[in-house]
Amino acid sequence: MSSTTAAPALAGSTMDAKLDGWDIATIVLYFVLVIAVGLFAMCRSNRGTISGYFLAGRTMMWLPVGASLFVSNIGSEHFIGLAGSGAAIGLATGAWEVNALILIQLLGFVFAPIYITSGVVTMPEYLSKRFGGKRLRVFMAVLSLLLYIFTKVSVNLYSGGLFIQQSLGWNIYLSMIGLIMITALLTVTGGLAAVIYTDTLQAVLMISGATALSVLSFIKVGGYEAMKEQYMQAIPNSTLQGKTPGCGYPLNDSFVMLREPTDPNVPWPGFIFGQTPASIWYWCADQVIVQRALAAKSLSHAQGATIFAGFLKTLPLFIMVMPGLISRILYTDEVACVDPEVCYAICQSSTGCSNIAFPRLVLGVMPTGARGLMMAVMIAALMSDLDSIFNSSSTIFTIDIWKRVIRPKCSVREMMLVGRLWVLVMVGLSIAWVPVMLLLQDGQLFLTIQEISGYLSPPIAAIFLLGVFWKRCNEKGAFWGLMAGFVVGIVRMIIVFSFQSQAGNCLVPDTRPQWYHDFITKINFMYYAIIIFFTTIIVAVVVSLCTKKPPSRLLKRSTWWSRFLSEPRTDNLEEEIAMKPLDEKAELEANQEKKTLCKRGYDWFCGYSATQQPEEEGNNREKLRKITSIEQDKRAKRLLQVLLVLVISAGVYIFGYFGAPQ
């Protein structure tokens, strides 16, 4: 029981570990590097076209795209959430990371070829091209924007703010507002190219910093086997002293990823058949992720990027989840607290403090200077996720809502301005949502995110799978299938969160009604995701078979079976806007000499300057042909196939090693 003796001080312990001059210098150096990289991207990239701003000109190499895929997923909520869930329930949450390692390959080798050859920029646009009509596209766009504002951005803000508050004692709102403003500035000015370049720098920081923390943590507890033994003894003193009997004990299957079918956290049938469809949406049909793959210069580079990101996804289990277990060992009475009064004194939450596992470990284990590095790592994670979300949401709003619904005849210059202004709107809405998020935060952050995703994303995954693999699926079938799945999911989500305040724990009795336990508690959200997924598919299939077949023009280069058709589509966005620079060509050239120095600087800052000459129509068509081509060099294709087998084998091995009792 040595792990629970000599417990550290409570409320003030994290606050007492102040960052010194070297730590602050490290943080400042980080910001200087990020801003410098962003400015470099602004000067180097073509931000004057829709493709240039939203897809980095489709010129990115596999390395930066792969790094951006990784850090776009690994936000501050992963550091906080994965480590926190590791401290609370063991290795189970690592299953999501290993599963992602495999599923992201579906993006590179199944979905990306179709997205590229059909010439889409956004995921709602793909639905419009595949099924026709506007309602699917608009519904998908609105749903995506709401999810970004109320889940992704707010969760990142909370988790990033929690780390800053624990380590520095700063006002949580001022900290979050400052970070979100810097992130928005980089996104507004530089577009996706700036996002990807800064993501590459941040990936290096995140991996190196988290790896260093993991190594130091394992040294401190004596290695993996010692960690397993000490974790099972990490019981808070309040339980040992009889104040909270029956609470705070580690789970017997803490070191098993995929657990019994009746397990409340990660039942293996629910995870494989229910969580996987939700993850397919995230990795293969979510704008934040797919937009990075579409920025690659070719299909081979997109596939190389997903393979590289897959290898990187082997790391979170070891550098995020396991450090959470070690944090519980070293700081048991804080991280594993169960007494509501004690917990509130530590982390201002009476339901538990497992979410502070990672920042507590940083402040307790890392030496001077290195604490500043880890602070920079957390800031990198927060900014990487936020800049990805901001850029993707501006893409969706501009192309799928503003141009298609609000102002169909808007100019390209107006579209670019609207895209930048929408980022500022997102900033305002996200900051306004923070107080609500602080009230809703409860228990394990990571599993809460997955539960919400499990209610809303399976219908989207089902419709994308049907659209890609079943030619007979039409617009009516897809729409009503999506509506049916959405209603089934949203009803359960409303019920769950409506009764959340009545949920009990080992100290407080559960006052929720019996019918709730019969129909909600006994059916894990992952099992319910299976119901949502197949409800969507059944309704879509039945309605499609009872209505007309989709016209052949909609199937051209938009399904797995038609991706190699040589005849291009006539409705590509790049062709609609002729891929012209944002300057209003002749008008701008005529007025260029009349502009003041400040006006010219403003145009350069926003990407409006006339740095390119108008292209010939033939050149535009040739560029369109290249960016929608999925031709691959035979040697590169064979190499990618070998690497694909290796990365999937790595995922299967990790599942096999940690997925069953050892």
Side-chain angles (χ1 to χ4, degrees):
M1 300 291 182
S2 60
S3 61
T4 60
T5 59
L10 295 180
S13 58
T14 57
M15 306 295 289
D16 292 338
K18 297 292 185 180
L19 300 183
D20 60 18
W22 287 106
D23 296 321
I24 301 299
T26 304
I27 297 172
V28 171
L29 178 61
Y30 161 76
F31 274 110
V32 170
L33 284 174
V34 169
I35 293 174
V37 170
L39 290 173
F40 168 77
M42 288 171 58
C43 297
R44 185 177 185 272
S45 63
N46 170 25
R47 300 172 291 130
T49 64
I50 293 293
S51 176
Y53 181 76
F54 292 124
L55 292 179
R58 300 185 193 250
T59 59
M60 304 303 294
M61 304 283 284
W62 63 270
L63 182 62
V65 173
S68 186
L69 284 170
F70 178 73
V71 298
S72 296
N73 166 243
I74 300 294
S76 56
E77 89 282 359
H78 270 67
F79 283 96
I80 298 293
L82 286 177
S85 293
I89 64 173
L91 298 181
T93 50
W96 273 270
E97 300 306 300
V98 183
N99 198 37
L101 179 159
I102 298 172
L103 293 181
I104 193 175
Q105 307 314 318
L106 285 178
L107 171 62
F109 290 85
V110 176
F111 287 88
I114 298 167
Y115 296 149
I116 292 173
T117 192
S118 60
V120 301
V121 174
T122 69
M123 296 302 94
E125 183 189 4
Y126 171 75
L127 293 180
S128 177
K129 287 190 173 185
R130 169 60 180 85
F131 297 109
K134 288 186 177 180
R135 55 183 181 176
L136 266 176
R137 183 173 190 167
V138 173
F139 178 80
M140 177 71 175
V142 172
L143 178 60
S144 297
L145 293 176
L146 291 176
L147 285 171
Y148 291 160
I149 293 171
F150 297 120
T151 59
K152 290 189 175 185
V153 177
S154 58
V155 168
N156 268 280
L157 284 176
Y158 165 68
S159 55
L162 178 66
F163 184 89
I164 295 173
Q165 185 184 53
Q166 287 288 312
S167 59
L168 297 177
W170 292 354
N171 180 279
I172 189 170
Y173 292 102
L174 292 179
S175 301
M176 289 187 290
I177 289 172
L179 290 175
I180 204 172
M181 288 299 182
I182 293 176
T183 306
L185 178 64
L186 287 174
T187 308
V188 166
T189 56
L192 186 60
V195 171
I196 291 180
Y197 281 124
T198 55
D199 280 353
T200 305
L201 169 64
Q202 290 163 347
V204 175
L205 275 174
M206 289 165 59
I207 294 173
S208 59
T211 300
L213 176 64
S214 182
V215 170
L216 290 174
S217 301
F218 272 108
I219 292 174
K220 201 168 186 67
V221 297
Y224 179 73
E225 292 299 326
M227 178 192 73
K228 291 175 61 177
E229 179 182 353
Q230 295 176 50
Y231 178 82
M232 300 307 295
Q233 300 173 355
I235 305 167
N237 277 324
S238 60
T239 298
L240 297 176
Q241 296 170 2
K243 296 179 181 179
T244 54
C247 300
Y249 289 94
L251 301 177
N252 292 329
D253 54 0
S254 293
F255 290 89
V256 179
M257 273 190 187
L258 303 180
R259 300 174 179 177
E260 295 296 323
T262 56
D263 184 81
N265 296 307
V266 189
W268 72 262
F271 183 85
I272 293 176
F273 300 108
Q275 181 57 45
T276 296
S279 297
I280 288 177
W281 160 76
Y282 182 85
W283 288 108
C284 302
D286 180 33
Q287 183 68 24
V288 174
I289 298 298
V290 175
Q291 191 170 348
R292 272 111 196 101
L294 294 182
K297 64 188 300 183
S298 67
L299 176 59
S300 294
H301 279 271
Q303 292 176 342
T306 60
I307 290 173
F308 179 51
F311 280 117
L312 293 179
K313 290 295 284 182
T314 61
L315 299 176
L317 173 64
F318 304 100
I319 65 176
M320 296 177 194
V321 179
M322 290 185 182
L325 277 71
I326 296 175
S327 184
R328 175 175 178 141
I329 294 171
L330 298 177
Y331 313 105
T332 306
D333 286 335
E334 296 176 69
V335 175
C337 71
V338 290
D339 187 318
E341 294 182 0
V342 174
C343 291
Y344 191 84
I346 297 171
C347 63
Q348 289 73 57
S349 173
S350 59
T351 57
C353 292
S354 61
N355 284 332
I356 72 168
F358 196 86
R360 184 64 188 92
L361 192 65
V362 170
L363 295 172
V365 172
M366 298 294 279
T368 297
R371 286 197 300 266
L373 173 63
M374 286 309 302
M375 182 72 174
V377 167
M378 290 300 299
I379 295 173
L382 172 65
M383 293 181 64
S384 295
D385 226 12
L386 288 179
D387 64 20
S388 300
I389 295 166
F390 287 153
N391 186 268
S392 297
S393 65
S394 67
T395 306
I396 291 176
F397 181 80
T398 302
I399 295 175
D400 295 308
I401 296 180
W402 188 265
K403 181 173 175 60
R404 299 293 175 178
V405 179
I406 300 176
R407 284 178 55 84
K409 296 183 180 180
C410 65
S411 66
V412 180
R413 185 184 182 96
E414 179 181 333
M415 290 174 64
M416 297 301 299
L417 179 60
V418 167
R420 289 167 165 89
L421 291 177
W422 174 251
V423 174
L424 302 180
V425 174
M426 284 277 291
V427 170
L429 293 174
S430 302
I431 292 174
W433 183 248
V434 169
V436 182
M437 186 64 204
L438 291 176
L439 294 175
L440 292 178
Q441 66 89 16
D442 179 43
Q444 299 178 50
L445 182 66
F446 187 80
L447 289 182
T448 300
I449 299 171
Q450 302 308 322
E451 184 171 2
I452 296 174
S453 176
Y455 296 142
L456 299 178
S457 59
I460 302 174
I463 294 305
F464 271 84
L465 287 170
L466 286 174
V468 167
F469 291 110
W470 191 42
K471 292 183 178 181
R472 184 62 178 80
C473 188
N474 60 21
E475 192 272 345
K476 291 182 178 179
F479 179 77
W480 291 112
L482 186 62
M483 290 298 102
F486 176 75
V487 170
V488 173
I490 201 70
V491 167
R492 159 132 178 174
M493 188 175 75
I494 292 173
I495 293 174
V496 168
F497 288 103
S498 296
F499 285 90
Q500 187 176 22
S501 61
Q502 302 178 28
N505 53 41
C506 60
L507 297 176
V508 180
D510 193 321
T511 59
R512 291 173 294 188
Q514 185 59 42
W515 65 264
Y516 182 94
H517 294 291
D518 292 337
F519 295 100
I520 303 296
T521 305
K522 293 182 179 179
I523 304 177
N524 186 281
F525 74 88
M526 297 184 195
Y527 289 123
Y528 200 79
I530 301 176
I531 298 174
I532 299 171
F533 181 74
F534 284 103
T535 297
T536 304
I537 289 181
I538 292 171
V539 172
V541 169
V542 171
V543 173
S544 294
L545 292 177
C546 293
T547 52
K548 294 182 180 180
K549 294 181 179 180
S552 58
R553 63 179 176 82
L554 295 176
L555 301 178
K556 187 184 300 181
R557 306 181 77 167
S558 64
T559 71
W560 178 257
W561 319 110
S562 60
R563 66 191 189 281
F564 288 117
L565 289 179
S566 57
E567 184 181 355
R569 295 181 67 106
T570 59
D571 55 356
N572 286 316
L573 176 67
E574 295 288 347
E575 190 171 39
E576 291 175 13
I577 65 173
M579 293 181 295
K580 61 183 178 181
L582 273 180
D583 57 75
E584 307 296 337
K585 293 190 177 77
E587 178 184 351
L588 187 143
E589 290 173 358
N591 297 328
Q592 188 71 19
E593 295 182 358
K594 301 178 182 180
K595 288 187 177 181
T596 65
L597 183 62
C598 292
K599 180 62 177 176
R600 293 183 182 182
Y602 168 79
D603 285 349
W604 171 83
F605 184 74
C606 291
Y608 292 155
S609 56
T611 57
Q612 299 182 32
Q613 297 298 320
E615 296 188 33
E616 299 285 340
E617 182 178 355
N619 292 338
N620 285 332
R621 290 181 177 178
E622 177 62 18
K623 183 177 290 187
L624 178 63
R625 186 195 68 80
K626 288 182 178 180
I627 65 176
T628 58
S629 172
I630 55 174
E631 296 178 359
Q632 293 179 277
D633 178 78
K634 291 184 179 180
R635 290 178 297 179
K637 187 174 182 179
R638 283 195 293 268
L639 175 61
L640 289 168
Q641 290 171 343
V642 171
L643 293 173
L644 174 65
V645 173
L646 290 177
V647 72
I648 292 179
S649 298
V652 172
Y653 174 79
I654 295 175
F655 259 138
Y657 186 83
F658 293 103
Q662 300 176 34

